[in-house]
């Protein structure tokens, strides 16, 4: 499917630093060493109830990764999926009496509008699960033929024991995995499975549900994890630089995805780094569709909130932190935006070369966007108090904030 238009990234003098990111699999900091083309896969939305601020915060984090890479003069190959067929989508469609495909299309369109408004750089390939079915089916067949998958009453399951590296993404023990599996789409209680954690690769057609030709698997629909693997392997191949998503995807989604791919190819690793954004909450609970405690980007936009202020509200939190949204967060972002706009709209100002270096250093340091904002705040405060006589400074600040933080002043 088509993505959304790219906002232009202004050119900056010099070059940024190499990115250091926290890696979930090792639990520590790694300096990324991508090639000339940096490869990243970020898990996309399940298109119902999009786009809430939690989604936006996660995509903001990985947009920063891209911007840092572009600033190191690399190209970026960015892939994102849309889970346009899955249990939660079908459940919501049934509950509201809307056709599942129409619901998916409508919410995906809204997501594109929100991403465009927030100046998130688009993926090179934006791929729906439905589009990926022709790649998924032969992969599942190969896994089965290699003994890494098995059939149970017509459904096809992945055998977690087929990957010697299973467990290395999340580092969780079996009990913790089992709890999370039950919470997040797995079926550890189903009798007959080889291992309770084994996830579904292909679900045999259920009465009243959409179905696709599964060749030797029979008619049905794809499982969740194999969807992302099929799309990532097709467009990126093994050993890509970053697998990204929110921290709710560490287990089972990213653990299972890595194992599917590693069992399929015999290669290791699936991704070199696993990066996860914290959860945004509201009123003491994670913002989620199932809880219904959502703040939508589209609603804020309708209420007249400048998307640049929404983006600044996201940037004010470190991407790995869990945080709570409140009206105060947005008020602070609006005030900051007004201060910055005033500061860059003067004909000259304090020199900004050091500020550019500070923003670059902050982002290279595990995407420390709050530190980057604080640096711009200091420049804007100096501008407001004393001004300066560098005629190039306001323009440089404006371009730096746009190119590195995605905020148009
Ligand atoms: N379609 C799958 C991924 S393949 C999915 O998780 N969809 S989602 O719509 O539930 O979430 C989309 C992205 O937003 C995922 O990366 C998820 O981890 C992230 N996300 C979901 N809720 C929150 C939240 N409250 N705060 C931060 N990120 C969130
Ligand atoms: Zn995914």
């Amino acid at each position: 499917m088509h993505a959304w238009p790219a906002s232009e990234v202004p050119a900056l003098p010099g070059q940024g630093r190499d990115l250091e990111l926290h890696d979930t699999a090792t639990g520590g900091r790694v300096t990324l060493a991508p090639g000339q083309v940096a490869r990243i896969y970020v898990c996309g939305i399940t298109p119902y109830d999009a786009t809430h601020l939690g989604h936006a915060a996660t995509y903001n984090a990985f947009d920063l990764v891209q911007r840092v890479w572009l600033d190191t003069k690399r190209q970026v190959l960015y892939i994102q999926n849309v889970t346009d067929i899955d249990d939660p989508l079908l459940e919501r469609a049934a509950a509201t009496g809307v056709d599942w495909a129409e619901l998916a299309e409508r919410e995906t369109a809204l997501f594109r509008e929100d991403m465009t408004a927030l100046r998130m750089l688009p993926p090179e390939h934006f791929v729906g699960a439905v589009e990926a079915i022709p790649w998924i089916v032969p992969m599942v067949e190969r896994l089965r033929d290699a003994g890494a998958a098995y059939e149970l009453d017509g459904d096809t399951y992945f055998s977690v024991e087929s990957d010697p590296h299973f467990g290395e993404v999340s580092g969780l023990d079996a009990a913790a995995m089992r709890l999370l599996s039950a919470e997040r789409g797995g079926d550890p209680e189903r009798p007959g499975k080889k291992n309770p954690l084994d996830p579904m690769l292909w679900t045999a057609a259920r009465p009243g549900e959409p179905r696709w030709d599964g060749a030797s698997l029979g008619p049905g629909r794809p499982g969740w994890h194999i969807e992302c693997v099929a799309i990532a392997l097709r467009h990126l191949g093994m050993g890509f630089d970053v697998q990204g998503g929110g921290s709710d995807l560490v287990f089972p989604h990213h653990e299972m995805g890595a194992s599917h791919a590693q069992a399929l190819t015999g290669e290791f690793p699936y991704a070199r780094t696993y990066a996860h954004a914290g959860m945004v909450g509201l009123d003491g609970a994670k913002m989620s569709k199932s809880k219904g405690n959502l703040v939508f980007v589209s609603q804020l936009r309708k209420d007249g909130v400048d998307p640049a202020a929404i983006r600044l509200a996201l940037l004010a939190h470190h991407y790995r932190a869990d945080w709570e949204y409140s009206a105060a967060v947005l008020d602070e972002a609006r005030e900051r935006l007004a201060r910055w706009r005033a500061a860059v709209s003067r004909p000259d100002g304090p020199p900004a070369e050091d500020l550019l270096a500070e923003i670059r250093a902050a982002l290279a340091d595990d995407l420390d966007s709050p530190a980057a904002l604080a640096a711009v705040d200091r420049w804007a405060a100096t501008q407001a108090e004393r001004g300066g006589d560098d005629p190039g400074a306001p323009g440089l600040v404006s371009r730096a904030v746009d190119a590195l933080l995605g905020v148009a002043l």
Side-chain angles (χ1 to χ4, degrees):
M1 49 179 74
H2 65 280
W4 55 92
S7 53
E8 203 154 319
V9 180
L12 298 175
Q15 174 165 336
R17 299 197 192 178
D18 275 334
L19 177 61
E20 282 184 36
L21 266 191
H22 180 88
D23 173 35
T24 302
T26 53
R29 187 71 85 84
V30 290
T31 304
L32 274 60
Q36 188 45 43
V37 179
R39 296 173 295 162
I40 178 166
Y41 185 95
V42 181
C43 281
I45 55 162
T46 304
Y48 67 100
D49 278 355
T51 313
H52 64 61
L53 280 177
H55 299 140
T58 287
Y59 298 117
N60 178 57
F62 297 101
D63 188 71
L64 295 181
V65 170
Q66 286 204 72
R67 289 173 184 278
V68 172
W69 277 339
L70 292 173
D71 191 40
T72 61
K73 311 293 179 218
R74 288 185 173 88
Q75 279 169 268
V76 179
L77 183 54
Y78 172 31
I79 313 297
Q80 192 181 124
N81 68 304
V82 178
T83 307
D84 57 1
I85 183 68
D86 200 10
D87 297 337
L89 181 76
L90 292 175
E91 283 159 21
R92 171 60 65 94
T96 53
V98 184
D99 175 64
W100 66 272
E102 242 168 70
L103 174 64
E105 209 165 295
R106 189 182 73 206
E107 295 295 312
T108 305
L110 191 56
F111 177 71
R112 289 189 188 98
E113 284 174 30
D114 291 334
M115 292 296 105
T116 306
L118 292 173
R119 295 172 82 78
M120 303 284 182
L121 296 171
E124 183 74 27
H125 297 281
F126 189 49
V127 188
V130 172
E131 292 176 308
I133 290 174
W135 319 328
I136 293 171
V137 170
M139 275 188 180
V140 176
E141 289 178 319
R142 268 165 55 204
L143 282 166
R144 182 201 55 201
D145 296 347
Y150 60 94
E151 193 226 304
L152 180 62
D153 298 333
D155 297 327
T156 308
Y157 279 92
F158 176 71
S159 176
V160 295
E161 274 132 39
S162 64
D163 174 30
H165 294 283
F166 176 71
E168 292 181 13
V169 173
S170 65
L172 295 170
D173 62 28
M177 286 184 184
R178 199 174 161 135
L179 276 175
L180 287 174
S181 161
E183 268 174 37
R184 299 176 178 165
D187 55 3
E189 306 299 331
R190 180 167 175 179
K193 290 169 65 174
K194 288 190 181 162
N195 183 312
L197 298 172
D198 291 345
M200 193 94 87
L201 288 166
W202 185 257
T203 307
R206 307 273 194 264
E209 283 190 0
R211 65 196 59 197
W212 286 268
D213 179 9
S216 69
L217 307 170
R221 59 184 170 91
W224 174 30
H225 319 304
I226 194 70
E227 161 196 345
C228 285
V229 171
I231 297 168
L233 290 186
R234 176 156 187 114
H235 290 297
L236 298 175
M238 289 295 281
F240 60 89
D241 297 290
V242 173
Q243 160 73 75
S247 59
D248 56 341
L249 298 185
V250 174
F251 192 90
H253 189 52
H254 290 165
E255 187 77 68
M256 295 301 178
S259 280
H260 288 357
Q262 286 153 192
L264 185 78
T265 62
E267 292 170 38
F268 178 85
Y270 175 53
R272 295 199 226 178
T273 308
Y274 296 87
H276 293 101
M279 288 292 112
V280 180
L282 182 70
D283 303 329
K286 168 193 155 187
M287 215 177 259
S288 77
K289 301 170 214 189
S290 43
K291 290 207 183 67
N293 58 338
L294 305 176
V295 176
F296 294 105
V297 171
S298 52
Q299 188 59 50
L300 292 175
R301 292 198 290 119
K302 255 185 231 152
D303 295 344
V305 180
D306 188 326
I310 303 175
R311 182 108 193 203
L312 279 178
L314 305 174
L315 290 162
H317 301 86
H318 191 271
Y319 82 100
R320 288 206 288 130
D322 295 331
W323 56 278
E324 288 267 314
Y325 175 76
S326 68
V329 167
L330 194 56
D331 287 343
E332 203 180 299
R334 284 165 148 153
E335 282 161 23
R336 175 174 270 135
L337 184 63
R339 283 199 310 275
W340 289 12
R341 283 190 170 148
V344 298
S345 60
R346 307 223 319 231
D348 44 27
E353 285 77 14
D354 289 353
L355 169 60
L356 174 58
E358 283 177 274
I359 299 173
R360 281 174 161 155
L363 292 180
D365 179 14
D366 198 24
L367 304 176
D368 192 347
S369 58
L373 299 199
V376 182
D377 283 345
R378 286 192 293 274
W379 181 87
T382 308
Q383 169 75 309
E385 283 157 24
R386 299 196 291 276
D389 53 17
D390 183 345
L396 178 58
V397 173
S398 175
R399 286 190 297 280
V401 165
D402 188 353
L404 298 172
L405 301 171
V407 175
L409 294 179

